Structures are given as C-alpha cells and as structure tokens.
Amino acid sequence: MKPGRLIAKAMLALAGFLAVFPLLWTALNALKNNVDIITRVPRLMFSPTLANIGYILGRDSVLTGLYNSVIACGIAVLIGVALGLPAAYAVARYPNRFAGDIQFFVLSLRFLPPVAVAIPLMVIWLQVGLYDTLPALIVTYSLLTISVIMWLAIPAFQAVPKEIEEAAFVDGYGAYSVFWRIALPVAARSLVGAVAFSFVLVWNEFLIALMLSSSNAKTLPIVASELSQQGMNVPWGILNASVVLLSLPPLLFLGVLSGFLNSVFRQKKS
Amino acid sequence: MRRRSFLPVTFLVPTLAILLVLSMVPTLYAIVIALQNRELSTPGYSWVWFSNFADLFLDRRFLNAVWVSVKWEIVTVVATMVVAIGLGVLMFEVAGPRLRNFYCLLFIIPVLLPRVSAAFVWKFAYHPLYGIATYPYRLVTGGLIFDPLSKASTALFAVASVDVWQWGLFFAVIVLKLLETLPPQPIEAARLDHARRWQIHAYVTLPMLKAPLISLMFVKMIESLRSFDLIYVMTRGGPGVATETLDMYAFSQGFIESGKVSYASAMAVLMMIATVITFTMLWKRVQA
C-alpha cells in the first residue's frame, strides 16, 4: 500500500474516533463516582455506579422537563405533520405562479434570528397570560415544525412518479383520495425522515424554550443546563448522566435519518 | 380532473395563513417593542422611536458583538466546508462501500446531539485539569495547564470547534454522497491523462459540484446564526466579551443584566434586517 493511502486511512480513522469518542467518554463518566472523574490522568478502569443515573431519574425537575419536552415536541410535530404535509403536496403537485415564492417564504422563516422571535413572543405571552405554559411553547414550536416539514416534504412528493397518480385519477379517485391513498404511502419513507428531522430540531431547541419558560414549562435542555449553573459543585457524574439522557432521543433516529439522506441522494442520481 | 380540484386551496391556505400569523406577529411586534422603552422590572412604557437604535451605535459592547458574530460566522463556515470537503474526498478515495456506510453513520452522530449536550461534552473535555481533550497537552508538557475556554485568544475557536465537530462531519457525509452521484467518465478521463488524485478532485469533481457545494455553504451560513446554545453553555460570552455574539448580548441585555427588553429587541431587529437582506440576496444569486 502506498504511504499516501495509509495516511489517508489513518486520518479517516482519527476523524471517526473524534466523532464518537467524546460522547462515549461522557457516557462512561456518567457511570463513574466523582473520585474517578476528577483525576488528572483519565481513568478507563473504575468500579461503575448507577447512582448518577438513579439520581437524575429520581429528580422531579428532570422528570418534569422530560414530560414537557415530550409533550411540547410531540404535539408540535403532529401539528407540523397535519398542516405541513398537505401544503407540501399542494405545492409539489399543483404548480401555480406562487410556488417559488411560497418555497422561499417557508425557507426564509429559518433566517429569522431566534432572539428576534423569542423577545416579542415573551412579551405577547406575558400579556395574554400564557407565559411559561406548554401551549405557548407548542404554538411557537409549530412555526418551526410546519416550515421544516413543508420544506423537506415538497421534494419527497415531487419524487413520487406522476404516472401512478394519473392512473389513480383515471380509475376514478378524487384529488383527496389520491393524496391519502397514493401519494402519502408512496412517499412515506422520505416523509418519515422529514418528520424525524423536525422532531430532532425542536427537541434540541434551546433559546426559545429558555426565554419562554421560567418554572413550569422548562424543557429538558433547560433543566440540563441549569444543573451546571450550580457550578462545579454538582458532581460531574450527574451532569454527564443528564447529558446522556438528553442526547438519547435524537440518537434513536440515527437509522431513520441516515436512510433519509440515502434516499434523497438516490433520487438525485436517477 | 386535476385542474378543477379545490385541493390546493384547502391544503395551502390554512397552513400559509397560520405560518404568516405565527411569523409576522412576532416580527412586527419586535419592531414595535424596539421603538418603545420597555423594561422587565417596570410595567409602564412610552414611545422613544429610534433612540434605542441611536444608542446601539454608540455602545461599544454592541459593536464588539457585531465583530464577534462576523468572526464566528466566517470561522465556522470556512472550517466546516474545509473539514467536510476534506473528509468527503478521503472517504471517496480510500474507503470501500461498507467502510463508507460505517463512517457515514459515525459522522452523523454529532449533529443529532442537542447543542446543549454537545456544548457540555466539550466543556468537560476542555477542562484544564480533568478534561480528556487537554490531557495530551498535560501529558506532553508534564502537567502544564491549558485552559482554552478562559483565554480570550482561544475561547472563540474552542467553541467554534464544537460547531465544526457537529456540522463539518455531517457535511462530509453529504459531500461523499454528492461525489457518488457524479458520472465516472470524467474521472476516468482525468486518470488516463495521468492526473494525480488531488488534481482530479481540485480540477474535475469539485468544480462539477460547485452548485450543490454553494447551497451547502448557504445552509451552513444560516445554521451558524444559531450559535447561542453553544456559547451560553460553554463561555456565557466570556472571558470578558471575547465570545459575546449578538444573540448572547441581546439575551444578557434583555434578561440577565438589566431586563432592557426594548434595547434587546432593537438589537434583534437589526440582526433580523441584516440577515433577511443578506440571505435573500444570496438565495436569489444561488438560484440564478
């Protein structure tokens, strides 16, 4: 083997190592007692403990945060599906002269700096008495989920072969049943990826949740960041355990999302 | 049959109406607040029109935040694209199909993490005494202390490295997929002309991918605007104001330090105007 190739392989391996090692190390630290973490030489061998994870799962604030995150993100994603998918289908299959503008408008929502949305919304929710409640968070997150799902679903619907839909029309299906019974099932694989992506996006969201909640509606990222605000007095193991808990749900979608990426690029190729 | 259906109306109008309301109400309200003098501590307010904006331009901390934001944007976008293209090409050159799939899976993991998690992971790693990332330095120097997050000269780069860790690796996967969509003939032709491997990429494949790579950079520029979570967790804008970006400064003016919501909103409005204009222009150029 040529030395250049060997170096290239080594660099790739190093990058792969860097991609996951910090996370694995965090997971390992979540199983350590404090004495095994606060060492000048990192320790690989130690007697594992479940105390950190037990502590995290036993805290009310963490459980409330988990509940809030699941409810707020879950409902926002459902709203995004209910409103975003039909709209995407209409843009993809019934081209009109506004189609380009609509797509640009949906994308431009992503340009808005989160602070610029969060500050006025905080004032508005305070005025209508919904500040620090889940409904306020859900409505705000829906803006994110609807626009992202719509943006990603338009190409997914465009990739459905037109002939199948035409055939269904000839068979006497109405426009709506073509959407329900043909387009949705055929595009399902890509659509699941789009929906999973929108879930990860709102699950990971931090700034808006930070500004729109003070005690009742805190989501998991906020709770986790607050644990660290108590300085380094909090045992590191507990902090690491909370990071692991926060990171698990998005990682569950790893398979779905990498499949989604593959299908997007396979379409391009053909 | 298609043409006569009301489907586009019933499917599009409610969604677009809701999106318009949800986006325009806060946007317009942000402008309204920016023209007043609201503070969180006092309920009353009056109209001060443009004095918040005038104050901003005399505020040295604001000007610093603008500069930090610009630096952040440039550093993260450039580093992400370099890492992505470098690793994408490496995978394309030396990894077989199975190894490619394996690396792709690994490289997607960091970007899926919540920014807060990624920030914590690296905050621990960069700890001067107990961090895993600073351990090699301690080992080599015999226990000297290196604290990247609390030195003004390195803090921004240390935080930016986390952003690149998340996005650069992810984009490497996309670059690889883009390379895989290219037709093999031009590459073969270049090889027959005795072009070296790097020459093939520099002069043949990457120029062929110019349009998608520019789109990719555009996406990264938008995502780089969301630096807040990383900076909030890792440095809080410190040391001093070395990593205080615009959203961090707006947040601390509005919430942590003084509760000057109107002043913070004026900043947010300026950011909004700048980004909307810049990205609209860029988008039109990318599309053209």
Side-chain angles (χ1 to χ4, degrees):
Chain A
M1 199 188 278
K2 282 189 199 160
R5 243 179 118 70
L6 208 64
I7 293 170
K9 286 205 163 177
M11 280 171 71
L12 257 188
L14 179 71
F17 171 78
L18 282 178
V20 284
F21 179 71
L23 196 58
L24 290 179
W25 188 250
T26 307
L28 218 55
N29 276 353
L31 300 173
K32 285 179 182 174
N33 285 310
N34 222 25
V35 282
D36 290 318
I37 299 178
I38 310 234
T39 56
R40 296 212 167 205
V41 180
R43 263 184 215 171
L44 262 179
M45 307 304 288
F46 58 93
S47 50
T49 167
L50 288 176
N52 299 319
I53 293 163
Y55 177 85
I56 281 290
L57 290 179
R59 271 185 73 120
D60 285 343
S61 66
V62 174
L63 293 181
T64 317
L66 189 63
Y67 171 82
N68 287 342
S69 272
V70 169
I71 298 291
C73 300
I75 295 182
V77 168
L78 286 182
I79 293 175
V81 169
L83 291 172
L85 289 186
Y89 178 71
V91 172
R93 274 298 178 253
Y94 293 84
N96 57 49
R97 60 205 154 91
F98 305 114
D101 295 324
I102 292 173
Q103 269 181 292
F104 180 70
F105 166 66
V106 174
L107 178 72
S108 72
L109 296 178
R110 198 82 193 131
F111 305 166
L112 294 179
V115 221
V117 180
I119 294 174
L121 276 176
M122 191 192 79
V123 179
I124 292 171
W125 294 127
L126 273 171
Q127 278 171 349
V128 295
L130 282 175
Y131 176 72
D132 196 22
T133 63
L134 282 181
L137 209 54
I138 291 169
V139 170
T140 315
Y141 278 178
S142 297
L143 177 66
L144 288 174
T145 53
I146 297 171
S147 59
V148 166
I149 290 180
M150 205 176 145
W151 177 251
L152 291 173
I154 290 173
F157 280 124
Q158 281 167 342
V160 174
K162 267 204 172 120
E163 294 75 24
I164 309 182
E165 287 184 38
E166 297 296 343
F169 276 113
V170 172
D171 285 349
Y173 280 42
Y176 295 93
S177 45
V178 168
F179 169 70
W180 278 109
R181 295 162 73 174
I182 311 290
L184 267 188
V186 173
R189 262 193 63 135
S190 305
L191 296 179
V192 168
V195 173
F197 184 81
S198 79
F199 176 83
V200 171
L201 207 71
V202 283
W203 179 273
N204 295 356
E205 203 289 321
F206 181 69
L207 176 60
I208 293 174
L210 183 67
M211 286 200 181
L212 294 188
S213 64
S214 58
S215 57
N216 301 322
K218 279 186 217 159
T219 55
L220 201 53
I222 312 298
V223 176
S225 87
E226 274 174 0
L227 279 176
S228 80
Q229 238 91 116
Q230 301 161 24
M232 289 299 169
N233 304 328
V234 175
W236 277 27
I238 290 172
L239 275 177
N240 281 301
S242 72
V243 169
V244 171
L245 175 68
L246 179 62
S247 312
L248 277 180
L251 290 180
L252 292 180
F253 292 104
L254 180 63
V256 176
L257 287 171
S258 79
F260 175 58
L261 267 185
N262 282 331
S263 72
V264 166
F265 284 94
R266 213 167 298 135
Q267 285 164 21
K268 276 203 176 156
K269 201 170 185 176
S270 55
Chain B
M1 273 173 276
R2 230 168 229 255
R3 303 274 165 255
R4 262 179 269 138
S5 170
F6 277 107
L7 181 139
V9 179
T10 46
F11 274 13
L12 263 179
V13 171
T15 304
L16 288 181
I18 288 174
L19 279 182
L20 265 176
V21 170
L22 283 181
S23 61
M24 290 319 283
V25 167
T27 313
L28 295 177
Y29 208 61
I31 300 173
V32 169
I33 297 174
L35 300 174
Q36 300 169 338
N37 63 349
R38 284 175 193 259
E39 295 195 12
L40 280 183
S41 46
T42 48
Y45 63 87
S46 56
W47 293 82
V48 297
W49 303 106
F50 290 97
S51 81
N52 281 323
F53 293 94
D55 290 347
L56 274 177
F57 286 100
L58 297 173
D59 181 349
R60 291 182 62 182
R61 219 172 133 187
F62 169 72
L63 298 177
N64 170 72
V66 172
W67 171 231
V68 173
S69 294
V70 171
K71 264 200 296 190
W72 168 268
E73 195 75 15
I74 294 172
V75 169
T76 53
V77 170
V78 171
T80 298
M81 294 311 289
V82 169
V83 168
I85 291 174
L87 287 177
V89 168
L90 278 183
M91 275 192 281
F92 186 71
E93 281 297 326
V94 299
R98 283 188 133 188
L99 206 55
R100 278 183 195 178
N101 281 340
F102 174 68
Y103 278 127
C104 285
L105 221 50
L106 289 190
F107 289 165
I108 297 176
I109 290 174
V111 83
L112 288 183
L113 294 184
R115 302 277 269 179
V116 175
S117 293
F120 271 127
V121 165
W122 283 95
K123 195 181 178 185
F124 292 128
Y126 280 141
H127 191 278
L129 290 178
Y130 316 121
I132 187 84
T134 52
Y135 173 65
Y137 182 82
R138 290 197 301 273
L139 191 70
V140 171
T141 58
L144 280 182
I145 284 178
F146 173 56
D147 191 353
L149 287 176
S150 62
K151 273 175 67 178
S153 55
T154 54
L156 185 79
F157 296 100
V159 181
S161 72
V162 182
D163 186 69
V164 176
W165 178 64
Q166 289 198 284
W167 286 94
L169 297 179
F170 171 54
F171 276 8
V173 175
I174 295 183
V175 171
L176 172 69
K177 308 263 174 205
L178 288 172
L179 286 170
E180 285 174 347
T181 60
L182 288 178
Q185 295 87 352
I187 303 177
E188 288 302 322
R191 224 168 251 165
L192 290 178
D193 288 340
H194 300 290
R196 290 170 170 275
R197 293 287 175 116
W198 68 266
Q199 285 174 323
I200 294 178
H201 289 292
Y203 299 117
V204 181
T205 61
L206 293 178
M208 285 171 84
L209 291 174
K210 197 175 154 203
L213 287 179
I214 288 176
S215 306
L216 213 54
M217 194 159 101
F218 183 74
V219 171
K220 180 60 192 132
M221 288 168 79
I222 296 176
E223 292 308 317
S224 277
L225 295 173
R226 280 148 233 274
S227 57
F228 180 83
D229 330 21
L230 286 182
I231 289 170
Y232 180 82
V233 171
M234 292 181 78
T235 64
R236 285 260 171 149
V241 289
T243 56
E244 192 168 74
T245 49
L246 278 170
D247 40 11
M248 187 71 221
Y249 183 43
F251 179 79
S252 67
Q253 278 295 311
F255 298 88
I256 304 174
E257 285 165 28
S258 36
K260 290 199 276 185
V261 187
S262 282
Y263 195 59
S265 195
M267 246 182 280
V269 167
L270 282 184
M271 275 170 78
M272 193 160 66
I273 294 171
T275 51
V276 168
I277 291 177
T278 317
F279 285 115
T280 308
M281 275 168 35
L282 280 173
W283 173 254
K284 300 284 176 205
R285 287 195 82 168
V286 169
Q287 291 300 86

